Amino acid sequence: MKAAHSRLRTFADIAVRHLQHFNHPGRAWHDLSGPQDTLTVVLSEIGGRCEARTNLHSPAPPDRQRPNHISFVPAEMRIWGYTDNIESVRELRLSFDRKSLGDCLGPDLDEGKAGTPELMFHNRRAVECARLLAAECDASDPSAGLYGEGLMIALLSACFQGRSRKEKSGLSASQLRLVLDYIHENLDASVSLTELARLVGLSSSQFARLFKASTGVSPHRYQLNTRIGKAQELLLLKGEGLSIVAAETGFADQSHFTRAFKSKRQTNSNPTDQAAWSLASRS
């Protein structure tokens, strides 16, 4: 290997790494086993191919040798990573224990899938989530934790969720009020999906699904809209400075707030947005 780059984020005790390897010409292999379960999504391969193999000398079946393959390797299981004349590989790798996976998916978890290795399978939804999650790992000013955690839950659900089951259409009125009050009371704090789910006794995946059914938006989007609404109030009614507004509404810094505000203004402009944006631009 010539070089490797890695960016790490952690959500709900699950390590998410965006990795890129640059290799010398020729064949190479390494042991993929580790102390935790590992899910790897290959995002790009340049100049050759890479595989995951149970036997180093047995190539993967031809129908699995397609781009953007995914491999799940349970903890301590001997699996080989094999490359043949490849220049670089870019992948997203999640490392976790069974308890963390269970906490995220709850009754949605298919225990059979979670205990069985599966190499080089394909799932378009999982790859789309992995690409977005990799970009979030690379971001110089990452979005709120709810965004990355939501993407991770969606990725894990695509790979480990069992058969869908009939369930209620949303959170109960009391559950929804409890969660919304908590979000409003903690606008300046980093709130996790796991934290919100525990308030109402649900797994993260159940909660995210039922919250969207109740509100029409994801927890991350609701939090972002609420923060921007509060920021408008501080700008228009109280005349606060932009740096103070950013801190009081949970944005990483003034530039992070400005980008979020500008993005909302472009997609859903109204007179209040225009007036607040005018003040923000002059701050």
Side-chain angles (χ1 to χ4, degrees), residues 19-33:
L19 302 166
Q20 188 162 15
H21 310 281
F22 300 90
N23 301 327
H24 293 285
R27 293 182 299 167
W29 52 89
H30 62 284
D31 187 352
L32 295 178
S33 61

Side-chain angles (χ1 to χ4, degrees), residues 3-39:
H5 301 311
S6 174
R7 294 288 182 91
L8 170 67
R9 294 286 303 278
T10 301
F11 304 101
D13 296 325
I14 293 179
V16 180
R17 289 180 175 85
H18 183 202
L19 302 166
Q20 188 162 15
H21 310 281
F22 300 90
N23 301 327
H24 293 285
R27 293 182 299 167
W29 52 89
H30 62 284
D31 187 352
L32 295 178
S33 61
Q36 291 187 300
D37 294 353
T38 303
L39 181 74

Side-chain angles (χ1 to χ4, degrees), residues 56-161:
L56 182 59
H57 305 290
S58 298
D63 64 315
R64 300 216 168 197
Q65 296 181 19
R66 293 187 282 126
N68 305 133
H69 49 82
I70 306 167
S71 293
F72 170 60
V73 181
E76 307 296 351
M77 180 168 287
R78 176 63 60 84
I79 299 291
W80 295 98
Y82 174 88
T83 61
D84 187 358
N85 205 37
I86 199 165
E87 295 177 19
S88 71
V89 180
R90 189 167 67 89
E91 64 185 33
L92 188 78
R93 185 179 300 173
L94 278 65
S95 302
F96 47 87
D97 56 35
R98 195 64 50 82
K99 181 182 183 303
S100 296
L101 185 62
D103 289 343
C104 286
L105 300 186
D108 293 338
L109 177 63
D110 184 322
E111 294 288 351
K113 291 181 179 178
T116 307
E118 186 172 6
L119 306 185
M120 299 181 68
F121 65 97
H122 297 82
N123 183 304
R124 182 177 298 177
R125 179 174 169 237
V127 172
E128 289 172 354
C129 292
R131 290 192 189 283
L132 293 171
L133 194 49
E136 183 65 8
C137 288
D138 289 349
S140 57
D141 55 344
S143 302
L146 285 176
Y147 176 65
E149 194 175 352
L151 288 173
M152 183 192 73
I153 296 296
L155 170 56
L156 292 173
S157 295
C159 296
F160 298 107
Q161 185 171 325

Side-chain angles (χ1 to χ4, degrees), residues 198-259:
R198 285 175 180 164
L199 286 175
V200 290
L202 297 171
S203 70
S204 298
S205 62
Q206 284 180 303
F207 170 76
R209 189 167 58 249
L210 294 177
F211 184 93
K212 187 168 185 179
S214 296
T215 64
V217 294
S218 67
H220 159 67
R221 178 53 58 181
Y222 183 88
Q223 182 194 55
L224 181 61
N225 290 344
T226 304
R227 283 175 165 174
I228 290 175
K230 179 65 174 179
Q232 289 176 331
E233 177 186 331
L234 293 172
L235 284 168
L236 293 171
L237 301 181
K238 297 187 177 181
E240 297 283 11
L242 201 53
S243 60
I244 294 175
V245 169
E248 291 189 8
T249 51
F251 290 95
D253 51 34
Q254 182 174 323
S255 62
H256 183 203
F257 163 68
T258 302
R259 281 191 292 275

Side-chain angles (χ1 to χ4, degrees), residues 242 254 274-283:
L242 201 53
Q254 182 174 323
Q274 295 284 4
W277 174 251
S278 178
L279 284 173
S281 299
R282 294 199 299 268
S283 297

